[in-house]
Amino acid sequence: MSYKTLKDFDLRGKTVLLRADLNVPVQDGAVTDTTRIDRILPTITYLREQGAKTLILCHYGRPKGQVKPELSLEFLCPVLAKQWDVPVSFAADTVGPQAKALADNLAEGEFGLLENVRFHAEEEQNDPAFAKQLADLADIFVNDAFSAAHRAHASTEAITNYLPTCAGLSMEAELNALNEALEAPERPVLAIVGGAKVSTKLSVLNNLVQKVDYLVLGGGMSNTFTYASGTDVGLSLCEKDMADEAKAIMAKAKEHGCEIILPKDVCIVSELKEGADHEYVDRTAIPADKEAVDAGPAAAEYVAEVLQKCKTVLWNGPLGVFEISPFDFGTNTVAKTVADLTKDGKVVSVAGGGDTVSALENAGVASDFTYISTAGGAFLEWLEGKTLPGVAALESNKKAA
Ligand code: ADP
Ligand code: MG
């Protein structure tokens, strides 16, 4: 991967257009999770110290190209100011005279927030003229929104045709972590893929079997693989119509020297509720009137054994219905093993996915992983082996500073 970083530019007195992802969760007008705001603090601090004049560019919700006052970003200014400890002023439009006035009024080391870029339909159309209008506001474009990089939009893709472009510090950290996990990893590499359905992760599985040494399957999708291998799985979540796809993935794994690991034992229940009666049985012995909802102790033990040989771990998707206790057992046990190996410097561990992040937080070990991606859709598309337009645009940018 080759792209420019902040360190490649002299930023003093320059106007920087910073693409950020501040699409934060809000309830009753209050931000309920500041993770996305906090993640780009290193970039904010760096830009301030270097004396850049920074315009922040981001989307919020789905206004679908229309001005929707309830999706205005103005409410974020005091929240950003508090989390970053810098004043943040606001422009009531993303481009045009109001945006220009905001840019002109910034002193070195100051920050301004532009209105929701998705109020303009041209944004999602990746419109060149709109990208040019954005570019006219600044001297340098900094993309620090990996989580928006799977979209070819004016503020992630087209804009790079008009400004010298580089990655922000959090984009750089994410790209480094992902590169270390899958593109240029230390081997052996073990990937864990769980979650509910095979159908939502076919491309992920197809990509991973070509790249990793071990693929641990868990969650509902492992039932589909068990079924495809010729055993019934009772009332378990199982996509029988995906059996041929599962078989094809198993064949492809064999061809590429990737060992697929299904859970040795599973947790079975008659009803899925908190603290329900449960027992652990071999995955080939699920009774007709029960469903498998988690991986068992023998499964976790075996994964731990294989992990001893590995240098890199990549994880997406919980191994069981972790939202309901004690069916978070499998996920928690394997998560603790990965966390301990990471703390001992034995493996590099990278995990991502909406529910995966919650599951690892629930296990109490998220902060012990080498890197946790909160990029959702962009993380999954990267796992699928797709080229992300926002990242490709960073790499192809040839505009001189
Ligand atoms: P992510 O958001 O991290 O990509 P997914 O959305 O693919 O993860 O999967 C998470 C969901 O899978 C969780 O809601 C969990 O309850 C469900 N799940 C895991 N194991 C099972 C199972 N054995 N049966 C039914 N659902 C499961
Ligand atoms: Mg999910």
Side-chain angles (χ1 to χ4, degrees), residues 9 36 64 77 87 100 170 176 220 224 245 248 253 266 283 336 365 367 389:
F9 293 94
R36 286 185 161 158
K64 305 225 161 98
C77 288
K100 187 82 181 74
S170 97
N176 284 340
T224 303
E245 272 83 356
V266 291
R283 77 160 178 282
K336 288 200 181 88
V365 297
S367 58

Side-chain angles (χ1 to χ4, degrees), residues 149-161:
H150 57 317
R151 309 268 183 244
H153 290 171
S155 70
T156 59
E157 211 269 341
I159 185 157
T160 64
N161 294 319

Side-chain angles (χ1 to χ4, degrees), residues 193-197 200-201 218-223 236-238 267 272 291-295 315-324 327 331 352-359 376 379-380:
V193 180
K197 293 186 171 176
T200 61
K201 295 199 177 162
M221 75 165 66
S222 64
N223 299 325
S236 309
L237 174 63
C238 172
C267 176
L272 185 51
E291 63 173 314
V293 294
D294 193 12
W315 190 336
N316 168 259
L319 299 180
V321 186
F322 74 98
E323 299 93 335
I324 303 175
F327 313 122
T331 305
D355 293 295
T356 309
V357 176
S358 311
F379 178 80
L380 277 178

Side-chain angles (χ1 to χ4, degrees), residues 249-277:
I249 288 165
M250 290 189 277
K252 196 166 181 179
K254 204 165 210 168
E255 187 189 315
H256 288 272
C258 165
E259 183 182 333
I260 290 190
I261 300 173
L262 291 172
K264 275 194 181 304
D265 61 346
V266 291
C267 176
I268 51 166
V269 296
S270 304
E271 53 174 344
L272 185 51
K273 61 163 201 209
E274 193 85 17
D277 278 345

